[in-house]
Amino acid sequence: MKTRKKGFFNPLKVKELRRKMLLIIGVMFIIRLLNQIPTPGVNHDYLKQILGGSGAMGFMDLMTGGSLSSLSILALNISPYITASIVIELLSIVFKQLDEMKRDGKHGQEELKKITLYSAIGLSFIQALAMSVGFGRKGMLTHFTWYWVLIITLIWTASAGALAFVGNYMTEKKLCNGVSLILACNILSGVLDDLFSLWETAFTGHKTAQGILYISLLVVFIFLMTFFVVYLQTGKREIPVTNARKFNGRVNPAAMKSTLPIPVNPSNVIPVIFASCIFSIPSMIAMVVTPKSGSVWAHIVNLTNTSDWFRPSEFYYTAGWIVYVALILFFEVFYNNIIFNVLEISDNMKKAGSQIPGIRPGADTAEYLRKKVKHTTLLGGIGISIVATVPMVLSGVFHISNISLMGTSLVIIVGVIIENARQIDADTSAYKFEGIIRCCLLYTSPSPRDYAAS
């Protein structure tokens, strides 16, 4: 009997999955359509001239799909919800009530989602008000009056809250991880513009052969970076574990062997987002309050400008990159220690009768796991730092600034593809299994003849 191989189009053969995919495409199309609607009463070229598509602020604009620089009605996009989710996750360490909600099953998870959603709306209002007032004074608003500030603040707050609600709704209905998919679509929306920009850079002022070689090397480099990111996202360190089987209260001497996986980069791009947010603060303030030339504040702003870090003429600004990488490594280790609670894991292993060979259960196991997690996450932090640094090197040395499929954005896209591919594969298997059960019930259920005979 031949076994059916997994195919790329297998999910399309399931009617329910086809309906889900069409619904997802429709939602993403509407979001991109709304992203093109301009905000009334705003100078739409104001931030576009300032951001320039590079630096920490350029990364924030990339996450919004260009809606921040174009100042559309979705200017804040999904960013406030992502920030609120990270903050709530960190606050759960300090406040026991939030930690209990995380562990309280479905009801607690629902309450935590509501808190995150309300926090995102509040954060959206603060960001929208700060942008309207701060940038409005500098010329962003065509008419800087209190009612225009209020109208624009309400528009940006409502749109950010609506996107957060849509993302949560898609996740609850098991269509996909809605928030991450919206973020990935925002990043992918700039691919065509980046390709045209790279084409002009390659062939402007160069011979055709040089342009083709330039594009070919860049394509090969993007493929290599993609393989590296896939390895970074799927890589795990397997720790051997022996599980003692018990039958009728007696321990079976033949122990079952298994492994405890430690992901290389479980925090995904959260450390980079944190570091980018911190580095974007001086630039945001400088947009509102222009620093004096040669002042300490002006030097701080220049040090946080990522596009200058690897320019040969301004190489002393590389000190900013050192601080940036240090922040990424710090947040990587800090956040992963939250996710991977070694004390809780060692306690659960002890209760289940599991043990790492050669390591005593309890405190020794926790210490052993702590060292392994520290080393593994440090490697993940170095890897994510390399990925985040690549666009800066290309911008400073080769003057290539607009590449959506590179750097941190590539990590987001690969992570979303892997996550949704696993979910689609699980849904396909579930529907096939459901079909098999229905067939079995159909053939095993009594027929009308059987009832008549009885």
Side-chain angles (χ1 to χ4, degrees):
M1 183 178 178
K2 295 182 179 179
T3 57
R4 293 183 65 183
K5 297 181 179 179
K6 289 184 179 180
F8 181 79
F9 296 101
N10 279 350
L12 298 178
K13 298 177 182 178
V14 182
K15 183 179 179 180
E16 187 66 21
L17 289 180
R18 286 202 306 270
R19 186 188 68 82
K20 285 185 177 182
M21 290 181 182
L22 289 174
L23 185 60
I24 291 171
I25 293 172
V27 171
M28 293 300 110
F29 177 77
I30 293 173
I31 291 174
R32 293 309 308 168
L33 191 65
L34 292 174
N35 209 37
Q36 307 304 317
I37 300 176
T39 304
V42 170
N43 179 8
H44 300 98
D45 294 329
Y46 178 80
L47 280 184
K48 194 174 292 183
Q49 297 171 357
I50 296 175
L51 296 179
S54 62
M57 288 297 298
F59 173 67
M60 304 304 292
D61 183 48
L62 186 66
M63 291 177 61
T64 63
S67 61
L68 179 62
S69 60
S70 62
L71 293 174
S72 70
I73 61 172
L74 298 180
L76 300 180
N77 215 280
I78 202 68
S79 299
Y81 184 80
I82 295 173
T83 306
S85 301
I86 298 172
V87 171
I88 294 296
E89 183 73 26
L90 294 176
L91 287 177
S92 63
I93 308 170
V94 181
F95 299 100
K96 292 183 179 179
Q97 294 177 346
L98 294 176
D99 187 55
E100 289 174 358
M101 285 183 185
K102 288 172 59 178
R103 305 172 187 275
D104 194 22
K106 187 176 180 180
H107 177 72
Q109 293 289 340
E110 292 296 329
E111 291 297 323
L112 199 62
K113 285 180 181 178
K114 289 180 181 179
I115 293 174
T116 306
L117 182 60
Y118 296 149
S119 302
I121 293 173
L123 184 61
S124 303
F125 181 81
I126 295 172
Q127 289 182 353
L129 184 61
M131 287 178 60
S132 301
V133 175
F135 295 147
R137 291 175 178 174
K138 305 286 285 188
M140 187 185 75
L141 303 185
T142 54
H143 302 285
F144 184 64
T145 56
W146 69 267
Y147 52 86
W148 272 113
V149 169
L150 181 61
I151 289 171
I152 292 168
T153 300
L154 292 177
I155 289 174
W156 288 347
T157 303
S159 63
L163 272 186
F165 176 79
V166 170
N168 272 332
Y169 181 80
M170 293 172 68
T171 305
E172 289 175 3
K173 295 300 179 181
K174 296 183 179 180
L175 297 177
C176 59
N177 189 324
V179 175
S180 62
L181 189 63
I182 292 172
L183 181 59
C185 286
N186 288 339
I187 295 171
L188 289 172
S189 64
V191 170
L192 287 178
D193 291 337
D194 292 349
L195 290 177
F196 284 120
S197 176
L198 288 173
W199 187 268
E200 291 179 359
T201 304
F203 290 96
T204 302
H206 300 89
K207 295 181 180 179
T208 304
Q210 291 177 339
I212 293 174
L213 180 62
Y214 179 90
I215 294 293
S216 301
L217 291 175
L218 191 60
V219 169
V220 171
F221 186 72
I222 290 175
F223 272 108
L224 291 176
M225 284 297 299
T226 304
F227 284 122
F228 178 72
V229 170
V230 170
Y231 175 77
L232 194 65
Q233 293 293 87
T234 58
K236 295 178 182 179
R237 185 171 190 170
E238 304 285 350
I239 296 178
V241 176
T242 56
N243 305 304
R245 293 182 176 180
K246 294 184 178 181
F247 296 98
N248 298 324
R250 297 180 179 179
V251 179
N252 186 7
M256 181 178 64
K257 294 182 179 180
S258 63
T259 57
L260 177 66
I262 301 177
V264 175
N265 184 36
S267 58
N268 209 320
V269 292
I270 290 177
V272 181
I273 292 175
F274 267 119
S276 298
C277 288
I278 292 174
F279 267 67
S280 64
I281 291 173
S283 300
M284 289 285 289
I285 297 175
M287 292 178 190
V288 180
V289 182
T290 305
K292 295 181 179 180
S293 179
S295 63
V296 176
W297 183 246
H299 283 295
I300 292 174
V301 173
N302 290 333
L303 283 174
T304 56
N305 187 6
T306 60
S307 60
D308 292 337
W309 285 348
F310 293 96
R311 288 184 181 177
S313 59
E314 300 174 355
F315 203 70
Y316 60 94
Y317 285 135
T318 310
W321 170 76
I322 295 173
V323 177
Y324 183 74
V325 171
L327 284 174
I328 291 176
L329 294 177
F330 170 76
F331 286 122
E332 178 81 17
V333 175
F334 177 74
Y335 192 80
N336 290 345
N337 285 335
I338 299 171
I339 299 173
F340 210 87
N341 192 333
V342 293
L343 293 175
E344 184 179 351
I345 293 172
S346 62
D347 187 51
N348 292 335
M349 289 176 61
K350 187 176 180 179
K351 291 178 181 178
S354 302
Q355 182 180 356
I356 300 174
I359 306 297
R360 295 176 60 183
D364 291 346
T365 299
E367 185 62 27
Y368 177 83
L369 289 176
R370 185 178 289 108
K371 291 180 180 179
K372 294 297 182 183
V373 170
K374 185 178 180 180
H375 295 160
T376 306
T377 54
L378 186 60
L379 289 174
I382 294 172
I384 202 73
S385 300
I386 293 172
V387 175
T389 302
V390 165
M392 303 170 192
V393 176
L394 294 178
S395 176
V397 179
F398 301 102
H399 305 287
I400 303 173
S401 57
N402 297 322
I403 308 180
S404 297
L405 293 177
M406 188 64 72
T408 310
S409 58
L410 184 61
V411 180
I412 296 173
I413 294 170
V414 170
V416 171
I417 291 174
I418 292 173
E419 181 183 4
N420 287 284
R422 287 173 179 170
Q423 184 171 338
I424 290 172
D425 188 49
D427 289 343
T428 306
S429 302
Y431 282 116
K432 287 181 180 179
F433 186 70
E434 184 181 353
I436 292 171
I437 292 176
R438 287 179 180 177
C439 291
C440 292
L441 291 175
L442 179 65
Y443 284 109
T444 57
S445 59
S447 64
R449 293 182 181 180
D450 296 331
Y451 284 114
S454 61

